[in-house]
Amino acid sequence: MSRNDYVFTSESVSEGHPDKVCDRISDAVLDAFLAEEPNARVACETFATTNRVVVGGEVGLSTKEKTKAMMARVDGIVRDCVRDIGYEQKKFHWDKIKVHNYIHEQSAHIAQGVDRDGAGDQGIMFGYATIETPEFMPAPILYSHAILRRLAEARKSGAEETLRPDAKTQLSVRYVDGKPVEVTQIVLSTQHASKRQTSKVIRKIVEPYIREVLPEGWLTRKTEWHVNPTGTFVIGGPDGDAGLTGRKIIVDTYGGAAPHGGGAFSGKDPTKVDRSAAYAARYLAKNVVAAGLADRCTIQLSYAIGVAKPLSIYVDTHGTGHVDPAKIENVLFEVMDLTPRGIRTHLDLNRPIYARTAAYGHFGRAPDADGGFSWERTDLVDRLRSAF
């Protein structure tokens, strides 16, 4: 039996966190290739450290000439990302970093399976949804993202000139009868401009933005605050700690409230089911919950490299379902083609829409007019309801 009264904790990291800098660069490279050709193949990894960014992986366009021309643009893509994030510090500056480009053409052995409409790799992917927030997301991760996104807005607008790009937050949320009711602990570490700025000074700066974001009444006199608990956080970003693509997969998804298949998202084109099938699983789980079939829903999909049809689908409604989960499994196969090509077509994923996903979570975001976050739509609700 699941617990109804407990405290659950999730964390988020800002767009300036070293790992997120790398996710952003990898996804920006992906977007550039997809803008050139919708069927571009990209598997891009990035490593960042003091004054240095290394980009590698494999790509494929329709001709070698196009591929080489796009590879030559990587240096500019990297610098544009770092500049937009806001890094102009002594040992990590967008104009002064050294960029090493080791991207090469896609393996023919991988391409042969994908070209037959099969999955780009084997793997298991999970999607999750819950009624505890309007976005159908777990509250701790949703609001951890929201805090950092709001602080980034204040930093970039010039409203808070002392804040710098690197930041992390962590929320411990108390649940009563399965519903989130208050924050028991809040941790925020944010890079700042001066060594003379104490934790107390930084808290005074960030607290109004945190209170603006969190639901009314969630912060109480009992809430424990830990703002820059080490005291000073001036050296940040890849100069303070090396970064790597794909190291924040729990931050990217559900903050630990749901299983994770293990595959990262950033830098991978939508033929890679690590990404596209995880989006499809979230899409289906969200529609199941939005349709009122369950209060919570976890969906697992599995694939084999070169094989188009998913090997399995599993639905768990955690004892909150109003219909048989086995019947939901059968209906999901009817409402959506879950082959890699079917997912890409249904969610229109062959677009340059991925750099925006690299920070503040891939899920719980509003669908964009240009097709971004299409997996957050709830357009299957009527079909699911009618099926039952």
Side-chain angles (χ1 to χ4, degrees), residues 234-251:
V234 173
I235 300 173
D239 180 35
D241 188 15
L244 193 66
T245 300
R247 283 204 299 199
K248 288 292 177 284
I249 57 176
I250 301 302
V251 170

Side-chain angles (χ1 to χ4, degrees), residues 29 52 72 79 97 121 224 280 287 316 320 358 365-366 373 375 386 388:
V29 170
R52 199 172 302 269
R79 295 182 192 280
I97 53 175
D121 200 355
E224 294 187 30
N287 276 270
D316 184 359
T320 70
R365 311 277 287 270
F373 300 102
W375 48 93
S386 65
F388 290 93

